[in-house]
Amino acid sequence: MDTTVAKQLIDKIYEKRKAAALELEKQIRECHQQSDQRRITQIIEQLVDMFSNPSNPLHIRNGGLIGLAGTAIALGVDVAPYMEKFIEPVLACFTDPENRIRYFSAECLYNIAKVSKGEVLVYFNPIFDALSKLAADSELSVKNGAELLDRLLKDIVAETASVYIPQYPETERIRDLFDSQEQSILVAYPDDRSLGENGTMQKKAFSLARFIPLLQDRIYVLSPFTRSYLVSWITVLDSVPELELITYLPEFLDGLLKYLSDPTEDVRVATENILADFLREIRDVSMVRQNKEEHAESSELRRPDEKLPDITMSHSERALFIPESDFGHDHDGEYSLKDDHKSEDYRGTGALVPGQGVRIDYAAIIEILIQQLDSQHDEIQQSTALRWLAEFLTFVPDVMVPFTPRLIPAILPNLAHHVPMIQSAALRTNKLLLNVIQNLPGPVEGLSRHNTVEKSVAPASSPAAIPQPPRQVIVQPPSRDASSPESIGDNQPSSSSDKTTMVQRPRSGTMQTTVTESSSRPQSRMSSNSVLGAPPPPPVPVPTPPSPVQEDADKFNYQATVNELTVQFLSEHEQTRVAALKWLIMLHQKAPKKILAMDDGTFPALLKTLSDSSEEVIKHDLQLLAQISSSSEESYFKVFMMNLLELFSTDRKLLEARGSLIIRQLCLNLNTERIYKTFAEILEKEEDLEFASEIVQKLNMILITSPELAEFRKRLKSVETRQDGQALFTTLYRSWCHNAVAVFSLCLLAQAYEHASNLLSIFADLEITVPLLIQVDKLVQLIESPVFTYLRLQLLEPERYPYLFKCLYGLLMLLPQSTAFVSLRNRLNAVNSAGFLHIAPKATPNPITSRSKLGRDEIKWQELLNHFRALQGKHEKARRLDLGNTLSQDDMTITPLSPPASAKPPMRRRVTGDLPVPPIMPQKPALSPLNPKARQNGLLASTLQGATAPGMMQQRTRRTLGLPVVGPRKG
C-alpha cells in the first residue's frame, strides 16, 4: 500500500479516510489487471492487521475496515480467493465492545457479500451465527446495519443457494475443510453434488445439512429479537423449493414450538405462520406420495412382466435399473429412494411436481408432538401439537398406528381439559385415532393373545418402551457431502449405498440385518421390532413377503394399548374414563380373542370400575363386561357373575346405590334368563344368609318392575304350559327361598297361587320381623301397579283362581292396619261388593280351569315347600344366634337384627358400617303380636286364621309399630 494512502486511511477525519479508500480501490484494480496477486495479498494482510488489533486506536481500526470494503469492491467477485484471510477477523469485530467498530464491520461485510454473491455462501454458517448476535444488539445503528446485511444474505440465499457452485479452488477447498470438520450432522440425506461437464462431482456452495446443526443449537434462545431473526431465516429457507427444509423439520421443531408462547406478539404470529406452512407442505408431500404409490400399484398390475430380476445385476446396476415397486418406506416413516427415482422421471419429462421426492421423518415429528402434550408445556403448544396429530391422522394414518399406546395417555386426559381450545382439539384427535384403529384389518388368525403379551412385555414395564419408532442416525464418510436432498437422483449408486448404511445403523442401537435391502420388498417401516425396541431375529434367508394384512397387524400393539387404557380408569375426569371404556369396547369388538381375558389384569379393573361415581362410566363398563361375556365360554360367564356377587357382598353401598342399575344394564346387554339362572345357582349355595336375602330381594324387585325384563316375566307366567318355563321357575325358586316375600311374589308372578297359599301357612311359623313387614308392604304396592294388572283381573274369576283370594287375604292378615292394609282391603272389598265372593269355592276345582293344578307332575311342589321351610329355618336360626350375641334384654319389643362380623360365614368379607342399625324402639306395657312370647299365646295364629281381634288389641298393636290407629270396622 502506498504510504500516502496508508496515512490518509488512518486519519481521524472520516472524509479523508473515505477518500483514501477510493484511492486504494484504484490501486487494487490496477494490481488486479496486472494479476499482481502477491501485492493484493500484502495489502489485505496490512488492512486486516489494522482493524483486528484491539490495541490500535479507533480511527485506525475504522480505516482498515473501510479500506477492506474498498478492496472488495475493486476485486468484485474475484475477492473470493482472498476471503479466507479476512472473513474471520471481520466477524470477530461483530462482538467488539465499541459500537462504531461493530457498525463498520457490518458495513464492510455488506460490501463484501454484495460483490462476491454466491461465493460468500461457503462462509454462511459463521456469518449467520455472528448476525444472530447482532440481531439483539442494544445499539440501534448497529442493529440497522445488521438488518441490511441480513436482507442481502437472504436475497443471495433465495436466488443462488440451491444452484450455485463455487468457481474458485480456494472456496472449494474451504468448503471441503468445513465438511471434514463437521461431525454433528444428525440426519444425513443424499448429498447436493451436481455433475459437471466432465462428469466429475461438484459441490454447491451452500450446504443445508451443515447449517441444520447450527440452527438446532441456536433455536432454544430466549431473546425475542434473536427468535424473530431465526424464524425469518427459517421462512426464507423454506421458500426455496430445491432446499427441502421440511426434510430437516424434526431437528428444530421442538424449539420452534416453544416460540408459540413467546411474550412478543410478532414472534408468536411469525411462528404460527411458518408452522402452518410446514403442516401444509407435509400434507402436500404425503398426498403426492400416496398418489404415486397408487399409480405404481396399478402399473404393476397392468405390466407384471416388466419387473427385472435382481440376481443378475450388481448393486450399482440395480440402482440404475431397479423397478419402482422395489423401493418403499423405511423404518421411521421416511419415503426416500422410491420417490426420488420417480421424481427423476418427472424431471426427465420437464414436469415439476411440488413435493416430488421429498422425504419426511414422520416418526420423529410425531415423537416431538407427543412430548408437547404434558402439563409442563404451554397451553398453545399443547393445542398446536394436538392439531398436528389430528392432521397427521387424516393423511398419514398408517404412520400414526404404532404410536397409539403412547397417544392414548397423551390425548385422553385432555378430553376434560379446562381450556376449551385444548379440549376441542383433543376430542377431534381422539375421534380420528379411534376411527383409524377401527378401520384397520383385524388381527391375523393364529396369533394368540399370549404372543401379543410376550411381545409387549417391554412396553408394559416402562412407559418409554411403549412403541417408539426409532429415528436413524447416519454419518456419511468424510469424503461424501450430505446437504440438501434436491439432487438425490443425480447419483443413484451413491443413493443405494446410503440406503444400506441407514438400515445398518438405526437409532435404537440394535443391529439389524441388511437382508431386507436386497429383498424385492423392503421391511415395513414400523415393524414390531423397531417399534417395541425388542431385539430382532437372527439373520435368516429371505422369507416370503408378508401380506398387507400381516403388516398392519404387526403395526398395532393391542396389549400395550389395553394397558394404557386401563391406567386411564384412575383419571379423575369422567370424560377420560368414558373414552377409555369406549376404546376398550371397540378393541374387543375388533379382536375378542386377543385381549381382555380372565387371566389378565384388566378384568379386576373393570369390576372395580363398577363402583365409579359416574353412571355413564358404569353403563359403558357393563357394556364391555357384557361384550366380553357374550364372546367367552360359559365358565367365564359364571366366574364373572360370582365376582360380581362378591363385589356386592363386600361393598353393600354399591349394592344399595348402583345394584339395580348394574343388573338392569347387564340384562339389557346379555340374555336375562342366563343372568338370573346363574345368579340363582350361585345364591342357592350361598353361606352368607343375610347377603343372600338382600340380593334376592334386589333381584326380585328388578324382575317385577324393570321394563328390560318384560319378556322374561312372560316366560315365568307360562310355567304350567312350557317345560323350559318350569325348569326356570324351579331354579329361581330354590334360591328365592332366601327371602320369604320374594319367593311368594315369584309364585304370584308365575300364577302358582295354590303353592303361594301353602307358603302362607309356613309364614305362620316364621318370626314376623319389621323388614319382612316392610317387604310385604312393598309387595302390596306392587300388586296395585300395572305389572300385576292380570292378577287384579283374575279376581273377577274366583272359580278359576280360588287360591288367589286366599293368597291376598293371607297377606291382609299378615299386615298391621297400615296404608298397605287399607289399600289391599279396599281392593278385596271392591271384588266382594261386586258379588264375586258369594260364590262358594268348590271342594274339588275343575282341573281344566284351575291353573294351579297344571304342571303338578312336572314341578315337585312338596319338595319346594320343604326346601323353603328348611332354608327359612336356617335364616331364623342365624337371626336368633345374632340376637343372642347382641341383646341382653328379653323384654324388647321390636329389635332390628344386625349380625356381628364374627358370626358371618368365612366365605365373604363383610364391610363394616354398610348396614346402619336403627334406634331401638321404646318398651311398651303391652306385648306386640310380633314378639315370640305373643306368638306362643296364639295371638298371631288367630290373626292369620281371620279371627277379628278386639278393638283395643288392634290399637295396642298399631301403637307398638308406630302406625296410625284405625278403629274397628262397623257393620
Side-chain angles (χ1 to χ4, degrees):
M1 187 187 310
D2 292 345
T3 306
T4 306
V5 175
K7 289 181 179 180
Q8 290 183 349
L9 199 58
I10 61 176
D11 197 277
K12 294 183 179 181
I13 301 175
Y14 173 75
E15 296 298 334
K16 291 184 178 181
R17 295 200 301 270
K18 186 176 181 180
L22 293 175
E23 185 64 27
L24 179 61
E25 182 180 339
K26 294 180 182 179
Q27 293 182 8
I28 294 296
R29 281 199 179 95
E30 293 176 359
C31 293
H32 184 57
Q33 292 175 358
Q34 299 172 4
S35 301
D36 192 354
Q37 298 179 1
R38 185 179 64 83
R39 185 179 178 186
I40 295 176
T41 302
Q42 292 176 349
I43 293 175
I44 291 176
E45 291 176 352
Q46 185 178 359
L47 293 172
V48 169
D49 183 67
M50 291 171 60
F51 68 79
S52 62
N53 191 350
S55 61
N56 289 338
L58 180 61
H59 59 275
I60 295 179
R61 300 182 68 185
N62 289 341
L65 290 171
I66 294 176
L68 183 60
T71 302
I73 293 173
L75 291 175
V77 71
D78 291 331
V79 74
Y82 306 97
M83 284 196 297
E84 179 185 2
K85 301 181 182 298
F86 57 77
I87 284 292
E88 185 175 350
V90 170
L91 294 178
C93 295
F94 279 24
T95 58
D96 196 272
E98 179 59 44
N99 297 337
R100 282 175 289 180
I101 294 296
R102 297 200 301 272
Y103 174 78
F104 282 116
S105 61
E107 183 183 63
C108 176
L109 190 57
Y110 177 88
N111 290 299
I112 295 171
K114 189 174 182 179
V115 297
S116 62
K117 298 187 181 299
E119 297 292 333
V120 78
L121 295 179
V122 174
Y123 303 91
F124 179 80
N125 276 20
I127 295 175
F128 176 89
D129 190 25
L131 269 179
S132 66
K133 300 172 183 177
L134 282 188
D137 199 282
S138 58
E139 179 64 30
L140 182 60
S141 60
V142 177
K143 189 181 295 185
N144 292 336
E147 288 179 359
L148 290 174
L149 176 59
D150 181 58
R151 284 200 295 267
L152 176 63
L153 281 178
K154 288 175 181 175
D155 292 340
I156 295 174
V157 169
E159 294 175 3
T160 63
S162 60
V163 295
Y164 192 83
I165 298 174
Q167 303 297 319
Y168 297 89
E170 291 81 2
T171 52
E172 181 71 20
R173 180 176 56 82
I174 295 299
R175 166 63 194 265
D176 294 339
L177 178 63
F178 284 156
D179 288 344
S180 63
Q181 293 175 352
E182 288 291 339
Q183 299 296 332
S184 59
I185 298 178
L186 299 179
V187 183
Y189 295 106
D191 53 29
D192 55 350
R193 303 183 182 187
S194 301
L195 286 174
E197 295 179 357
N198 55 358
T200 58
M201 303 301 297
Q202 297 183 356
K203 294 186 288 185
K204 299 172 184 176
F206 178 77
S207 173
L208 185 60
R210 195 173 72 244
F211 167 71
I212 290 300
L214 176 61
L215 177 62
Q216 186 182 22
D217 182 59
R218 295 291 183 268
I219 198 69
Y220 292 100
V221 297
L222 300 178
S223 171
F225 298 104
T226 308
R227 284 183 168 185
S228 180
Y229 168 81
L230 294 176
V231 172
S232 65
W233 266 107
I234 293 174
T235 304
V236 170
L237 294 175
D238 186 56
S239 65
V240 183
E242 294 84 358
L243 292 182
E244 297 174 4
L245 181 64
I246 192 69
T247 303
Y248 299 92
L249 180 61
E251 307 306 321
F252 57 89
L253 178 60
D254 180 65
L256 189 61
L257 287 170
K258 296 183 184 299
Y259 292 7
L260 293 171
S261 57
D262 191 272
T264 307
E265 183 179 1
D266 292 342
V267 176
R268 295 197 302 269
V269 173
T271 305
E272 290 175 358
N273 292 335
I274 188 61
L275 286 174
D277 292 340
F278 280 140
L279 185 58
R280 184 176 60 254
E281 289 183 48
I282 294 174
R283 184 189 303 109
D284 295 342
V285 170
S286 303
M287 293 299 103
V288 170
R289 174 182 61 83
Q290 293 176 7
N291 293 336
K292 289 190 297 181
E293 288 181 349
E294 294 175 358
H295 176 72
E297 292 176 0
S298 61
S299 299
E300 289 177 0
L301 293 175
R302 290 195 305 266
R303 298 177 298 175
D305 298 335
E306 294 185 4
K307 190 169 183 178
L308 300 178
D310 294 340
I311 57 176
T312 58
M313 295 183 288
S314 64
H315 287 293
S316 59
E317 293 172 337
R318 183 176 183 272
L320 291 173
F321 300 102
I322 195 163
E324 292 177 347
S325 60
D326 283 359
F327 290 87
H329 40 70
D330 51 22
H331 291 285
D332 40 318
E334 298 175 359
Y335 297 83
S336 54
L337 207 51
K338 178 178 178 179
D339 295 343
D340 296 329
H341 281 282
K342 289 186 177 182
S343 68
E344 184 182 4
D345 295 339
Y346 278 94
R347 287 200 297 267
T349 60
L352 176 61
V353 179
Q356 185 73 35
V358 179
R359 293 189 306 170
I360 297 177
D361 193 350
Y362 295 102
I365 296 175
I366 297 170
E367 177 72 27
I368 295 172
L369 295 175
I370 293 176
Q371 296 173 1
Q372 306 296 317
L373 296 179
D374 56 27
S375 58
Q376 299 178 355
H377 292 82
D378 196 77
E379 295 170 354
I380 184 65
Q381 294 176 238
Q382 298 181 47
S383 61
T384 302
L386 285 171
R387 288 198 301 269
W388 274 56
L389 291 173
E391 291 298 325
F392 274 41
L393 286 167
T394 59
F395 53 78
V396 281
D398 53 336
V399 180
M400 299 288 291
V401 168
F403 286 91
T404 304
R406 301 189 59 200
L407 290 171
I408 291 295
I411 295 175
L412 294 192
N414 290 320
L415 296 178
H417 203 281
H418 63 279
V419 178
M421 176 175 55
I422 297 179
Q423 184 182 21
S424 60
L427 287 171
R428 179 171 181 261
T429 307
N430 178 64
K431 182 179 179 180
L432 290 171
L433 182 60
L434 185 69
N435 292 336
V436 167
I437 301 303
Q438 192 171 9
N439 293 330
L440 283 178
V444 180
E445 294 295 334
L447 293 178
S448 65
R449 186 185 61 83
H450 300 286
N451 294 337
T452 306
V453 174
E454 293 176 0
K455 189 174 66 172
S456 61
V457 169
S461 60
S462 172
I466 294 176
Q468 181 177 354
R471 290 169 53 196
Q472 300 169 350
V473 180
I474 308 97
V475 179
Q476 292 181 336
S479 59
R480 298 290 306 273
D481 175 39
S483 61
S484 61
E486 63 269 15
S487 58
I488 182 172
D490 295 338
N491 186 20
Q492 295 172 353
S494 299
S495 300
S496 176
S497 61
D498 291 345
K499 181 73 174 181
T500 305
T501 305
M502 292 170 66
V503 174
Q504 290 175 343
R505 301 189 60 183
R507 171 166 291 193
S508 61
T510 58
M511 297 300 295
Q512 298 185 0
T513 63
T514 57
V515 174
T516 55
E517 285 302 317
S518 60
S519 62
S520 61
R521 184 185 181 93
Q523 183 180 353
S524 173
R525 68 178 181 280
M526 286 296 177
S527 64
S528 59
N529 288 335
S530 62
V531 170
L532 297 176
V540 293
V542 180
T544 305
S547 64
V549 176
Q550 177 70 43
E551 292 183 357
D552 291 335
D554 291 342
K555 287 181 183 180
F556 183 65
N557 191 320
Y558 282 90
Q559 195 59 38
T561 305
V562 170
N563 294 340
E564 291 297 333
L565 290 169
T566 308
V567 174
Q568 300 307 312
F569 292 166
L570 304 177
S571 173
E572 59 180 347
H573 304 295
E574 176 186 353
Q575 297 94 323
T576 301
R577 302 195 298 272
V578 171
L581 288 169
K582 288 182 178 178
W583 266 90
L584 289 174
I585 291 171
M586 181 273 293
L587 291 177
H588 188 265
Q589 290 175 348
K590 193 173 188 63
K593 297 182 180 180
K594 203 167 185 179
I595 60 173
L596 299 178
M598 280 292 296
D599 55 350
D600 61 21
T602 311
F603 184 76
L606 293 176
L607 278 179
K608 187 177 180 180
T609 308
L610 291 176
S611 304
D612 197 276
S613 58
S614 169
E615 185 172 325
E616 194 68 20
V617 172
I618 294 177
K619 288 182 179 179
H620 284 86
D621 189 28
L622 290 169
Q623 182 182 350
L624 177 58
L625 287 170
Q627 186 173 293
I628 297 172
S629 302
S630 62
S631 61
S632 304
E633 299 176 355
E634 184 65 27
S635 59
Y636 173 92
F637 179 78
K638 189 168 185 179
V639 172
F640 169 45
M641 294 292 106
M642 293 177 63
N643 289 330
L644 182 59
L645 290 176
E646 181 73 23
L647 180 64
F648 285 151
S649 175
T650 56
D651 191 351
R652 299 295 176 86
K653 292 182 179 179
L654 173 65
L655 176 61
E656 183 67 25
R658 302 287 187 181
S660 178
L661 172 66
I662 292 173
I663 297 173
R664 289 176 61 181
Q665 287 294 319
L666 283 177
C667 293
L668 188 63
N669 294 301
L670 291 173
N671 183 271
T672 303
E673 180 178 348
R674 185 185 183 193
I675 294 174
Y676 266 75
K677 287 183 68 174
T678 307
F679 274 145
E681 293 170 359
I682 299 172
L683 290 173
E684 183 181 354
K685 304 174 183 178
E686 177 60 52
E687 297 181 6
D688 188 347
L689 300 179
E690 182 187 354
F691 168 72
S693 177
E694 186 176 353
I695 190 65
V696 165
Q697 179 185 352
K698 180 74 69 174
L699 290 170
N700 183 69
M701 187 63 65
I702 297 171
L703 172 61
I704 296 176
T705 61
S706 176
E708 292 87 355
L709 277 68
E711 293 297 326
F712 187 57
R713 287 193 292 269
K714 292 181 180 179
R715 290 279 311 279
L716 287 173
K717 291 179 184 179
S718 59
V719 65
E720 296 90 351
T721 58
R722 295 181 58 177
Q723 189 70 28
D724 55 347
Q726 296 168 1
L728 175 61
F729 174 81
T730 303
T731 304
L732 295 183
Y733 183 97
R734 298 185 67 83
S735 60
W736 258 232
C737 287
H738 282 289
N739 190 287
V741 179
V743 74
F744 181 80
S745 61
L746 178 66
C747 292
L748 293 183
L749 193 64
Q751 305 182 54
Y753 302 134
E754 181 180 357
H755 187 75
S757 65
N758 294 332
L759 288 175
L760 286 176
S761 62
I762 302 177
F763 276 33
D765 298 328
L766 301 178
E767 181 181 1
I768 307 301
T769 60
V770 172
L772 186 140
L773 289 176
I774 293 175
Q775 294 181 46
V776 174
D777 188 284
K778 292 181 179 179
L779 177 59
V780 172
Q781 297 177 25
L782 290 174
I783 291 175
E784 297 296 325
S785 67
V787 177
F788 284 103
T789 302
Y790 70 93
L791 184 146
R792 299 195 299 272
L793 292 175
Q794 288 172 357
L795 291 174
L796 302 178
E797 303 178 68
E799 287 190 340
R800 288 189 64 185
Y801 310 101
Y803 292 99
L804 174 58
F805 286 90
K806 186 176 181 179
C807 294
L808 298 184
Y809 272 104
L811 283 182
L812 188 65
M813 297 303 107
L814 283 178
L815 284 169
Q817 295 189 26
S818 61
T819 306
F821 176 88
V822 174
S823 174
L824 182 57
R825 185 186 62 184
N826 292 340
R827 174 68 64 180
L828 294 175
N829 287 343
V831 178
N832 187 18
S833 63
F836 291 101
L837 291 185
H838 294 294
I839 304 174
K842 298 179 181 180
T844 306
N846 190 344
I848 300 177
T849 59
S850 178
R851 296 173 58 89
S852 61
K853 281 186 173 293
L854 293 178
R856 292 179 66 93
D857 296 337
E858 290 80 5
I859 299 179
K860 299 179 181 179
W861 299 103
Q862 190 58 42
E863 290 185 6
L864 296 182
L865 280 177
N866 295 336
H867 179 74
F868 172 74
R869 182 180 291 106
L871 200 53
Q872 284 299 311
K874 290 184 179 180
H875 279 265
E876 199 161 302
K877 183 178 179 180
R879 282 198 297 269
R880 288 176 179 173
L881 180 61
D882 293 339
L883 184 65
N885 294 334
T886 56
L887 297 180
S888 60
Q889 300 179 3
D890 296 334
D891 55 347
M892 302 296 291
T893 54
I894 299 178
T895 304
L897 303 181
S898 179
S902 59
K904 304 301 292 181
M907 178 179 177
R908 298 189 182 275
R909 178 174 60 86
R910 178 72 178 277
V911 178
T912 59
D914 285 347
L915 296 176
V917 180
I920 299 176
M921 300 294 293
Q923 183 178 357
K924 297 294 181 178
L927 291 177
S928 169
L930 304 182
N931 194 291
K933 294 182 178 181
R935 189 176 71 244
Q936 292 173 4
N937 295 331
L939 178 60
L940 184 59
S942 62
T943 304
L944 291 176
Q945 292 171 3
T948 305
M952 184 59 69
M953 181 58 69
Q954 292 183 5
Q955 295 179 7
R956 288 180 180 178
T957 303
R958 299 187 62 78
R959 290 193 185 99
T960 304
L961 295 175
L963 301 173
V965 178
V966 181
R969 184 180 178 185
K970 297 180 181 180

